[in-house]
Amino acid sequence: MKKIGIIVTDPEDPTAIAFGKACQKNKIGHQIMDLQKAEVSTGGRTEWHIGKTDPLQFDAIVVRDVGAGAFEGVSFRFDILRQLEEKGVLVVNSPSAIQNAANKYYASCLLSNKGLPIPRTKVVQDTESAMEVLEEMKDAVIKPVFGYKGMGIHRIKNGMDIPTNGTKQKKLVPEQIDQLLEQRGMLYIQEFIENPGRDIRAFVVNGKLIGAIYRTAPKGSWINNLSQGGSVSQCKLSTEQEEICIKAAGAIGAFFAGVDLVEKRDTSNNKVDKSLILEVNGTPSVAGIYKAWGINAADDIIRDIIKEI
């Protein structure tokens, strides 16, 4: 009997649970595992164990979450996934695809090199350059390269730091940039795109669009992430948007992906002018699309994995 391993850190995570139920529905064995419990023995012959489980027994492994933490620990867990791939286990998404998506700088380059539309982006390593870019862009967002859930983002508009919660704006001072550079070593600065107060999360599985949702920011905020209080509603993509999303997932190398689009608004007539890719998520939650549409993305993912093994 074919068997799938599901890598999670929180067994109560709705997406992890959905993967398990999808395996049961499709009559395939599965086991939930935490890669933070992995141990490796080497010296002649290499042996891997996740808890007490030999991961080489699985035909495929679905990665929901490898866990955060110190650089060496995260690198070790990705190394294990790469080694399992080399041993013939299908890993979805592949460690390279997850890393491509997680690194906003590298992902932007991959997307741009494929001719896909992204906001104007500049990456710098010193305060003077950062201040010049922010002044030139007028309205920009400083994002952590490895950030998630909309955390650690700063919007700078006309020299003012715009908070996400509607509190009073503050004038940006170079010392703030100094502090960010001390923490991050570089700054990823992206033009803020005027939009209808929402963005789009589209779900692509194995080269096919299975659905999309609008994510709308709560009142007083400009961040649309559901984890930051955003709400979901149904979205139907245009043919052009669908094509952009499928190509974006392919550029990252993702078997399944959440592709985030922003609709650029023409300020002269308040209509949507074009769609730009904000980022590609290589380990997306399936909760939002299920809430909006009743679409079980986990079922699509597991069904298509079974076809591959």
Side-chain angles (χ1 to χ4, degrees), residues 223-242:
I223 292 185
N224 303 307
N225 297 63
L226 304 187
S227 56
Q228 298 292 327
S231 58
V232 302
S233 57
Q234 295 180 354
C235 171
K236 292 184 179 180
L237 298 184
S238 67
T239 301
E240 180 185 15
Q241 288 174 324
E242 181 174 340

Side-chain angles (χ1 to χ4, degrees), residues 167-276:
T167 55
K168 188 177 179 180
Q169 302 176 16
K170 296 180 181 179
K171 183 175 177 58
L172 177 73
V173 294
E175 288 76 16
Q176 289 174 258
I177 299 298
D178 290 340
Q179 187 176 22
L180 284 174
L181 278 168
E182 186 177 345
Q183 293 169 355
R184 302 177 185 177
M186 52 88 84
L187 292 182
Y188 176 91
I189 306 173
Q190 200 164 64
E191 180 184 19
F192 182 83
I193 303 300
E194 281 293 340
N195 62 83
R198 68 190 184 194
D199 65 16
I200 295 169
R201 163 64 63 88
F203 290 80
V204 177
V205 179
N206 201 17
K208 303 182 294 292
L209 180 89
I210 65 167
I213 58 174
Y214 287 120
R215 304 186 303 180
T216 303
K219 187 176 180 180
S221 177
W222 50 269
I223 292 185
N224 303 307
N225 297 63
L226 304 187
S227 56
Q228 298 292 327
S231 58
V232 302
S233 57
Q234 295 180 354
C235 171
K236 292 184 179 180
L237 298 184
S238 67
T239 301
E240 180 185 15
Q241 288 174 324
E242 181 174 340
E243 183 177 318
I244 287 171
C245 292
I246 291 171
K247 287 182 177 179
I252 296 299
F255 187 90
F256 69 97
V259 181
D260 296 343
L261 300 180
V262 63
E263 303 160 297
K264 185 176 181 180
R265 186 176 63 191
D266 186 335
T267 53
S268 65
N269 56 23
N270 206 34
K271 292 184 178 180
V272 173
D273 181 30
K274 64 187 295 189
S275 296
L276 303 169

Side-chain angles (χ1 to χ4, degrees), residues 65-101:
D65 179 17
V66 300
F71 174 75
E72 290 186 11
V74 175
S75 296
F76 169 61
R77 295 192 282 278
F78 273 101
D79 287 341
I80 291 173
L81 292 175
R82 277 196 293 269
Q83 289 172 307
L84 296 177
E85 267 192 323
E86 291 166 0
K87 288 290 184 179
V89 179
L90 175 64
V91 180
V92 178
N93 276 317
S94 70
S96 61
I98 295 171
Q99 289 173 317
N100 287 346

Side-chain angles (χ1 to χ4, degrees), residues 97-150:
I98 295 171
Q99 289 173 317
N100 287 346
N103 185 330
K104 290 184 180 65
Y105 159 69
Y106 195 67
S108 292
C109 292
L110 290 173
L111 297 169
S112 183
N113 290 343
K114 290 293 185 181
L116 294 167
I118 66 170
R120 193 158 46 117
T121 303
K122 193 75 178 281
V123 184
V124 299
Q125 298 185 81
D126 65 87
T127 298
E128 183 179 354
S129 296
M131 296 298 286
E132 288 176 357
V133 171
L134 293 169
E135 182 179 0
E136 189 264 327
M137 285 190 179
K138 306 298 184 187
D139 196 354
V141 179
I142 304 173
K143 299 179 179 180
V145 168
F146 293 101
Y148 58 98
K149 295 184 176 180

